[in-house]
Amino acid sequence: FKEQRFSDAAEQLKLAYQNQPNPLFLFNAGQAYRKALWPLEAKAMYERFVEAAPAHQLVPEAKGYIQTLAILIEERQAKQKAELTLLEKQGELQEKQSELQEQVKKREEAQRDLERVKNPPIYRKPWFWAVMSGAVVGVGVVLVGVLVTSYRFKTDGGLITVSY
């Protein structure tokens, strides 16, 4: 206890009480646990002390510690509960954020799809194929015309007579 190894001192005092049931060992074990910041164990030792020696002069002090430790334990439990609730709320918030991110991605994807439908590539527009068809027909007509005229009027160098 003097070396401020309070939890070790409390364990030794509990062993000493088992070997020699002196209620003062329980009180001192409570003191050691209290100083080690182990409120549950300290409260249990003080309660055992009060049960073992109800007429001892340190009983009022022990009862005061019991009340104080009970409040401390309740506060710790409330704090732990609040922290747990906060962690749960944070988990729910992260879930909702993930869901929102997924919805945003889906919306962006749908927007891109809509843009593709609104502004299709040029080869998917009807006027493009109309122009291409017209160009192919035009080139075909010109080629046929050139071929027909070049083969029809070929001569061996002689004179062509045209009769009506």
Side-chain angles (χ1 to χ4, degrees), residues 106-119:
K106 286 179 182 177
R107 188 171 289 143
E108 288 173 351
E109 194 174 302
Q111 188 68 30
R112 283 192 296 271
D113 290 345
L114 184 61
E115 288 297 319
R116 277 188 230 127
V117 170
K118 282 184 178 177
N119 297 321

Side-chain angles (χ1 to χ4, degrees), residues 4 7 11-12 15 25-26 37 45 54 63 65 67 71 87 89 92 101 105 110-111 115-117 121 126 130 136 142:
Q4 296 187 354
S7 58
E11 292 299 321
Q12 292 299 318
L15 288 174
F25 290 146
L26 294 174
L37 303 177
M45 288 297 108
K63 286 183 178 180
Y65 287 135
Q67 289 176 347
I71 292 169
L87 288 174
K89 295 292 182 187
E92 291 172 9
Q101 287 174 345
K105 285 179 184 177
Q111 188 68 30
E115 288 297 319
R116 277 188 230 127
V117 170
V136 168
V142 169

Side-chain angles (χ1 to χ4, degrees), residues 91-107:
E92 291 172 9
L93 181 63
Q94 287 175 346
E95 263 183 46
K96 287 181 182 181
Q97 285 176 335
S98 296
E99 289 174 11
L100 284 174
Q101 287 174 345
E102 284 182 38
Q103 288 177 358
V104 166
K105 285 179 184 177
K106 286 179 182 177
R107 188 171 289 143

Side-chain angles (χ1 to χ4, degrees), residues 23-32 45-46 49 58 61-62 65:
L24 200 53
F25 290 146
L26 294 174
F27 181 84
N28 288 333
Q31 294 286 76
M45 288 297 108
Y46 288 130
F49 169 73
L58 291 175
E61 185 177 348
Y65 287 135

